[in-house]
Amino acid sequence: MSTEQNIAIVRRIFDEVINQENKAALDDILAPDLVVNDPLNGRLQGAETFKGLLAFFDAAFPGHRVTVHRYIAEGDCVAVHHIHYARHAGDFMGLPPSGRELVVPGLELYRLSEGRIVEFWRHDDDAGMLRQLGLLPAPGQ
């Protein structure tokens, strides 16, 4: 697959799955044995793991949206620089809904094979998100 084709596949995660809330599209995008690398959960395997990660955030931040600033592709990998915009409207890590508006930047990396995502690395600003929720003190405090 070309880098342009790989970007088009990854773009579907943000355009269709997150911003249009079309979770069914994941069945066409993810390899069944996808490897998920996540700072909160470690290294896990399976498309259902990716779907579960999305469901975890959707429950706490329903209707969240993402703006992508750039896609960068080389070989079989696509990097994505983005920002999530969300409102804390559901339980999150034991914290009841606060109604706080969050802005969470991130970088993600996807590796593709045969037109499907086979590996995913999530590197959103989790510490910044926890600070915005009041679960971590601001730096220097």
Side-chain angles (χ1 to χ4, degrees):
M1 310 263 324
S2 71
T3 55
E4 292 80 13
Q5 290 169 314
N6 286 343
I7 288 172
I9 292 165
V10 171
R11 185 184 308 270
R12 292 183 66 194
I13 294 285
F14 298 93
D15 292 349
E16 291 179 44
V17 175
I18 296 174
N19 289 340
Q20 296 176 26
E21 299 186 25
N22 178 14
K23 304 301 187 268
L26 289 171
D27 293 331
D28 295 330
I29 299 169
L30 304 177
D33 59 349
L34 165 76
V35 175
V36 174
N37 299 281
D38 180 72
L40 295 177
N41 299 301
R43 184 178 173 94
L44 303 168
Q45 189 162 5
E48 294 306 315
T49 298
F50 187 94
K51 292 176 184 179
L53 185 62
L54 282 177
F56 170 73
F57 284 106
D58 284 344
F61 310 105
H64 74 279
R65 295 295 178 254
V66 65
T67 298
V68 174
H69 293 285
R70 69 182 51 89
Y71 296 92
I72 301 170
E74 181 178 324
D76 61 354
C77 291
V78 177
V80 184
H81 172 220
H82 63 281
I83 297 179
H84 292 278
Y85 298 91
R87 188 175 58 80
H88 181 213
D91 289 336
F92 181 72
M93 299 176 62
L95 181 67
S98 66
R100 291 180 177 168
E101 298 289 333
L102 306 178
V103 177
V104 182
L107 295 169
E108 293 176 356
L109 181 66
Y110 297 83
R111 188 172 64 82
L112 295 93
S113 178
E114 298 178 8
R116 292 194 176 222
I117 297 169
V118 296
E119 196 160 11
F120 166 69
W121 291 263
R122 185 183 74 79
H123 290 284
D124 293 333
D125 181 10
D126 292 334
M129 175 182 63
L130 295 174
R131 278 193 288 280
Q132 291 175 66
L133 290 170
L135 294 173
L136 278 181
Q141 289 186 345

